Amino acid sequence: MGKGICRESMTNSESPLRPLVLASSNSGKIQEFKNLLSSMPLNLLLQPEGFYVEENGDTFSENAQKKAIAVANETGEWALADDSGLCVKALNGGPGVYSARYASNDQERIARMLNELEGVIYREAFFSTALCIASEEGEVLLEVEGVTHGEITVKPKGNSGFGYDPIFRVKSAGLTYAEMSLLQKSIYGHRGRAFMQLKPKLKRLLSG
Ligand code: IMP
């Protein structure tokens, strides 16, 4: 039985499904998690309101682990956390784990990135997402990382998505993330790729 109070159970409390707390307060991300895990025998729960974990790790994987373990310890249930960011080769891999802190909103983050890369020819970059599931005892049960390679465009293109989407172009698709449909982004995107790795491992864990 959980210690902290999880919000919004999506099935009833008699459910035999495995409870899994989503360690995020970002509604877009929670929606994405729900869609990507909809076929799994899970009772998805939300982390306690106002619960906050500082993301001060040096890697995406460290931050995802930290959040999953903290939420599992708080709730006494399995917890799933992610951490993502954009790594630009001409910026020595930055902003990386500082992607959210690079500027105060999406528009300013994009403006700063284009400004820093002004005149730069070599614009290779990649997006990465680390996912981690921790057990009710706070032990890491599984971890995966999904990566999508691309380049930073010279100007923003496309109107969909969020964050750095309008300036991140996936070469194999010939499109920026912001020019992709949700289905295309789930196929080409770093988060979709991380979930593709997570699902078979999670299935084995649930049946094991
Ligand atoms: P988070 O760790 O997933 O919250 O992301 C950290 C930073 O990377 C935020 O500034 C996000 O806007 C950005 N980011 C993460 N995933 C994406 C994406 O799929 N598209 C664009 N920006 C993203």
Side-chain angles (χ1 to χ4, degrees):
M1 189 61 194
K3 296 178 275 186
I5 297 164
C6 299
R7 297 170 297 130
E8 194 193 285
S9 168
M10 275 159 264
T11 59
N12 71 51
S13 56
E14 305 304 317
S15 168
L17 304 178
R18 155 66 65 182
L20 178 70
V21 186
L22 303 176
S24 176
S25 52
N26 175 325
S27 57
K29 225 183 249 184
I30 290 166
Q31 199 48 54
E32 209 167 314
F33 283 156
K34 286 185 194 172
N35 290 339
L36 289 160
L37 295 172
S38 60
S39 61
M40 308 287 285
L42 294 166
N43 181 16
L44 298 177
L45 305 168
L46 301 187
Q47 68 178 30
E49 197 150 13
F51 189 74
Y52 172 75
V53 183
E54 199 179 352
E55 297 179 28
N56 56 1
D58 291 330
T59 61
F60 301 121
S61 153
E62 225 179 285
N63 281 334
Q65 269 196 26
K66 199 174 168 206
K67 285 189 272 184
I69 291 169
V71 171
N73 284 335
E74 175 69 15
T75 60
E77 304 285 4
W78 283 19
L80 166 67
D82 81 321
D83 193 45
S84 337
L86 178 61
C87 303
V88 180
K89 298 210 176 142
L91 302 178
N92 296 318
V97 288
Y98 300 101
S99 293
R101 290 165 274 176
Y102 191 55
S104 52
N105 59 49
D106 285 347
Q107 212 182 335
E108 287 177 21
R109 283 186 269 270
I110 286 177
R112 178 174 173 191
M113 174 71 66
L114 293 182
N115 193 36
E116 290 200 36
L117 292 183
E118 206 175 322
V120 174
I121 305 289
Y122 185 69
R123 304 176 77 91
E124 302 285 308
F126 65 88
F127 255 115
S128 182
T129 292
L131 294 173
C132 175
I133 294 183
S135 73
E136 56 271 67
E137 286 91 24
E139 277 170 28
V140 172
L141 292 173
L142 62 89
E143 276 187 289
V144 294
E145 194 147 349
V147 174
T148 296
H149 290 273
E151 63 188 359
I152 304 300
T153 55
V154 173
K155 287 190 297 196
K157 276 186 94 180
N159 300 310
S160 315
F162 68 99
Y164 299 91
D165 279 358
I167 57 166
F168 182 75
R169 181 174 172 275
V170 181
K171 284 193 216 164
S172 55
L175 299 169
T176 66
Y177 271 175
E179 293 176 301
M180 291 185 187
S181 65
L182 274 180
L183 178 64
Q184 284 172 313
K185 195 174 172 193
S186 73
I187 294 165
Y188 289 105
H190 50 295
R191 208 167 291 104
R193 287 184 175 171
F195 268 90
M196 257 160 43
Q197 291 181 54
L198 181 93
K199 281 170 87 168
K201 294 182 185 203
L202 181 55
K203 267 186 194 146
R204 278 201 293 277
L205 198 64
L206 288 167
S207 64

